[in-house]
Amino acid sequence: MTEWPLQDAKNKFSALVNAALAGEPQHVTRRGEPAVVVLAVHEYERLLRLEKADAPTLGELLLEVPQDDQDFERMSIPARSLDL
């Protein structure tokens, strides 16, 4: 992992991009704190595909809905009488 202070990243942006394209993510700091990571576009797109693959589909979400009223009965709150 290569870490660049922001000013160095600005001054040597071509080197930063070349290193990212070579497959090594480049970490940029601002005021000593992590700020951004520069990645090659193919790596970024790979990460997006992984993120989408982990997301449940609408069908999977619908299948998780209880199929009977038993789960709802356990959660129901007893009725209170009201004086009107």
Side-chain angles (χ1 to χ4, degrees), residues 35 50 53 72:
L50 283 175
F72 292 112

Side-chain angles (χ1 to χ4, degrees), residues 57-79:
T57 65
L58 177 60
E60 291 169 335
L61 292 173
L62 290 174
L63 288 173
E64 292 180 14
V65 174
Q67 300 298 314
D68 55 29
D69 291 336
Q70 291 178 1
D71 290 333
F72 292 112
E73 288 174 11
R74 279 188 250 132
M75 293 173 41
S76 64
I77 299 170

Side-chain angles (χ1 to χ4, degrees), residues 12 17 79:
K12 299 179 182 176
V17 169

